[in-house]
Amino acid sequence: MNAINPEKLHHSKWTAAKPRNKEKHFLVTALERDEEENVVAVVLEAVYTRRETTLPWQALKDDATWRMGWH
């Protein structure tokens, strides 16, 4: 499991463990916060297609789906 500090996710790089549609490398472009300013979700942008997807930041902890950095 990846150890992650949600406050430091902005502009971090991620690699999909099982790429789909040629989307392998991703960049965190935004953090979504709740009313208490806690990070609840991240916006990932695929480098190749520029498609954005939003998911809970805890999903990045799953080694079977995401790898920290670009590989």
Side-chain angles (χ1 to χ4, degrees):
M1 185 180 300
N2 295 321
I4 299 172
N5 178 348
E7 296 296 328
K8 295 184 178 183
L9 285 173
H10 197 243
H11 296 297
S12 62
K13 298 174 182 179
W14 294 87
T15 300
K18 297 174 186 162
R20 290 189 219 148
N21 303 324
K22 298 182 183 179
E23 296 176 340
K24 180 177 182 180
H25 297 118
F26 292 82
L27 186 65
V28 175
T29 57
L31 301 177
E32 293 185 1
R33 298 176 181 271
D34 63 12
E35 56 278 346
E36 289 143 17
E37 291 300 310
N38 296 317
V39 177
V40 294
V42 294
V43 177
L44 287 171
E45 181 181 305
V47 174
Y48 183 72
T49 63
R50 301 273 190 218
R51 187 177 65 88
E52 290 186 342
T53 186
T54 302
L55 56 126
W57 73 266
Q58 294 91 341
L60 296 174
K61 290 182 177 183
D62 183 9
D63 289 338
T65 308
W66 296 104
R67 301 223 167 84
M68 212 178 291
W70 287 348
H71 302 272

